[in-house]
Structure formats: structure tokens, C-alpha cells
Amino acid sequence: MSKITFDNISKTFINRNGQPTRAIDKVSLEIEPEKITCVLGPSGCGKTTLINLLAGYTFPDEGHIFNDNQYIKGPGIERTVVFQDQALFLWKTVKENIEFGLKCQKINKTQREKIADEYIEKFGLSGFGNNYPHQLSGGMKQRVGLARALATRPKVLLMDEPFSSLDEQNREILQEDLLRIYYEAKPMIIFVTHNIEEAIFLAHTIVILTKRPGKIKSIIKVSLPSPRTSEIRNSAEFFQLRQHIWKTIREEIK
């Protein structure tokens, strides 16, 4: 089981005026295996920087990040990223997009097609396997992105505001789809979002960052029962937790 550890990491960028901007400052955090951790905080607090550091797309200026006690030195097949803009291959069909990661893992064609068909069905894409991204709605594109990421059975799934561009109905349905697949495979999921309700519905743990430079302000364990269904959004516990989290974040925004 993968365990990720941030050991006193900091990250500074140089802005367009040539001035240093501290994005993350001395963050230490342990992320539990087989759990969903959501990261919340005000705009510009370094949430996406954390995802990029975990993905190995950039590196901390100070401190270290460990995955299974090994330094993260770059991208790895055990870590898969889902972006806000889906990043689909426009010249590939839905099925070919879903097969892409499997092909990189050198899985044979017959097995690739079988797995792709399985995830097409799981994400409600039946009948669209031969369509290209430009023929899909925004919600369907995001379903393809999720299916592609999960088809490879990653140990760690990194999600950077993947549902933020969707309408509320599609957003809630995809949250439920994500949980349904999560309960089957139990990957570690690190999910960045601005949406408090989304974080509460998905997460076992919510990490709240301060305004820039991002430091850990609060770590909240979500004790709502699992498996979670849409009805839980109307519970008193859900509402009380939402109020508490909003108060915590509002202190930073003000």
C-alpha cells in the first residue's frame, strides 16, 4: 500500500516580473493509503503546486516527498493525474484514449480492449467508444478522462479540480461515479477542489491550506458513513461540517 509523506517541503517560483513568489512553505503531511484526501484553501494557496510536486512535474526547493519511502524524482506509472481540462488526445477515439495508459503498460491488445470496454460501460459511455473528443459534451469528456486514469489501476490518483468546469448535475453524478469505482479498487486519491461540499462528500481527510504561501492550517477527519450516497448531502452532520470548514477558510480569505 502506497503511503505518501511530505517532509518539510517548500516551493518558490519566479513571477513574470522576476520576483520570487513562495507557493508552499514548510509543509509536512502524511497521506494515508487507500483513502481519499481532499485539499481545500483560498485561491493561490498552492493546491495545484502540491499536485505537480506529487506528480513529479516539478520539485521542492526544500524538503523531500516520499512514496513508499522512496524519493519522488519524476513522473511514475504508479501515479496518474486527472486534469481540469481532461487532456484527451483529440485524434484518438474514446476507446483509444482509454486504452492509451494500458498500451504504455504493454498490456496486449485483446486485454486492452476488454478493459476499455469495461470502463466505457462503467462510466456510461456505451455507444460512444468510436467517437472523438470533439463529438462529446464536457461531462462525457471528463468521464473519458476518469476512465482512462482508472483503467490502469493506479496506486495513486492525483486529481486537480477535475469537475470544476461541469454543471452541478454532472458534477454530482461524476462524484458518485468516482466513489463507486474507488470502492472497487481502493487507490489512494489526492483531490484538489475549491468546492467544500465536494470535499466533504468524497474525502476521508480534508487538508485546509492557508493563503499564500500555503501552509497547513487544519486537517479534518470526515467521519460520515461509507459507502456514501447522495442523501448524505442533506444530513445535519454534512451541514455542520460545511459550516465549520467554511469558517476556517473564510478566516484566510478575509
Side-chain angles (χ1 to χ4, degrees), residues 49-212:
T49 299
L50 282 181
I51 289 289
N52 288 334
L53 288 165
L54 277 172
Y57 298 153
T58 187
F59 303 97
D61 302 317
E62 302 170 20
H64 299 284
I65 307 173
F66 300 92
N67 182 23
D68 282 342
N69 298 315
Q70 301 292 319
Y71 290 130
I72 291 179
K73 297 179 179 179
I77 60 171
E78 80 285 357
R79 285 165 282 129
T80 298
V81 185
V82 178
F83 300 98
Q84 180 179 338
D85 63 359
Q86 304 103 29
L88 300 180
F89 299 114
L90 302 181
W91 59 93
K92 292 182 180 289
T93 64
V94 166
K95 188 170 182 177
E96 288 169 343
N97 266 282
I98 295 171
E99 287 186 42
F100 179 76
L102 301 167
K103 191 173 183 179
C104 292
Q105 293 179 342
K106 303 191 182 306
I107 293 173
N108 68 66
K109 187 175 187 294
T110 301
Q111 188 66 10
R112 286 200 314 266
E113 290 183 348
K114 180 180 177 182
I115 294 170
D117 287 339
E118 175 189 344
Y119 277 84
I120 283 171
E121 183 176 351
K122 282 182 177 182
F123 279 95
L125 294 164
S126 296
F128 292 90
N130 292 321
N131 286 49
Y132 290 88
H134 74 271
Q135 298 171 311
L136 306 177
S137 67
M140 292 180 75
K141 289 177 186 176
Q142 198 55 273
R143 289 172 185 273
V144 177
L146 272 178
R148 181 178 64 183
L150 288 163
T152 61
R153 292 294 182 102
K155 292 182 180 179
V156 181
L157 185 60
L158 308 174
M159 309 187 74
D160 189 10
E161 298 192 64
F163 307 148
S164 62
S165 62
L166 303 179
D167 61 71
E168 189 161 346
Q169 293 91 340
N170 270 307
R171 187 171 190 150
E172 289 194 4
I173 289 169
L174 275 170
Q175 290 166 8
E176 292 165 16
D177 284 344
L178 176 62
L179 282 185
R180 177 169 49 83
I181 304 300
Y182 162 78
Y183 291 132
E184 292 178 10
K186 292 289 184 72
M188 175 195 290
I189 298 178
I190 298 96
F191 192 107
V192 163
T193 180
H194 278 94
N195 188 291
I196 295 172
E197 290 87 354
E198 182 167 70
I200 297 170
F201 183 70
L202 294 174
H204 300 97
T205 303
I206 296 174
V207 177
I208 300 176
L209 299 180
T210 65
K211 63 185 178 183
R212 186 185 296 162

Side-chain angles (χ1 to χ4, degrees), residues 214-227:
K215 301 179 181 181
I216 293 177
K217 181 178 180 71
S218 181
I219 298 176
I220 297 170
K221 298 294 183 181
V222 181
S223 57
L224 296 173
S226 293

Side-chain angles (χ1 to χ4, degrees), residues 1-5 30-33 66-70 156 188:
M1 293 189 295
S2 295
K3 179 178 74 172
I4 287 177
T5 304
E30 189 169 288
I31 300 178
E32 298 178 78
F66 300 92
N67 182 23
D68 282 342
N69 298 315
Q70 301 292 319
V156 181
M188 175 195 290

